[in-house]
Amino acid sequence: LAKQVSKRVEEAKIAIRNVRRDVQTDLREMESEKMISEDEARSAHDRLQKLTDEFVGKSDSVGKSKEAELLKL
């Protein structure tokens, strides 16, 4: 079961990174079409990276606590 937990955590991380990649692509398109300025795009990329790091960290911590819970059994 612990292996399944780590597999699910890795799948969650991949999903988070895929969302980040999609948003980055959208931001680049918006910038190239002059819908947003370069500064706004850079700021959005920075916020996106912080959110990505936050959610990857949350998934890691949930996974570790679940693994510990399973190992107690």
Side-chain angles (χ1 to χ4, degrees), residues 29-54:
E29 287 176 11
M30 291 173 70
E31 184 181 2
S32 67
E33 294 172 4
K34 304 296 183 199
M35 295 173 73
I36 60 174
S37 70
E38 188 176 327
D39 290 340
E40 290 172 325
R42 186 176 311 277
S43 174
H45 281 289
D46 291 344
R47 285 182 285 162
L48 178 62
Q49 186 59 47
K50 286 179 185 176
L51 283 171
T52 302
D53 293 342
E54 176 185 341

Side-chain angles (χ1 to χ4, degrees), residues 5-15 17 59-60:
V5 169
S6 41
K7 181 181 175 187
R8 295 291 184 173
V9 168
E10 189 58 35
E11 289 172 359
K13 288 180 188 179
I14 291 169
R17 289 192 298 261
S59 65
D60 275 338

Side-chain angles (χ1 to χ4, degrees), residues 16-37:
I16 292 167
R17 289 192 298 261
N18 287 341
V19 169
R20 178 187 62 189
R21 185 191 63 227
D22 294 342
V23 172
Q24 286 176 332
T25 302
D26 292 343
L27 286 170
R28 282 189 214 108
E29 287 176 11
M30 291 173 70
E31 184 181 2
S32 67
E33 294 172 4
K34 304 296 183 199
M35 295 173 73
I36 60 174
S37 70

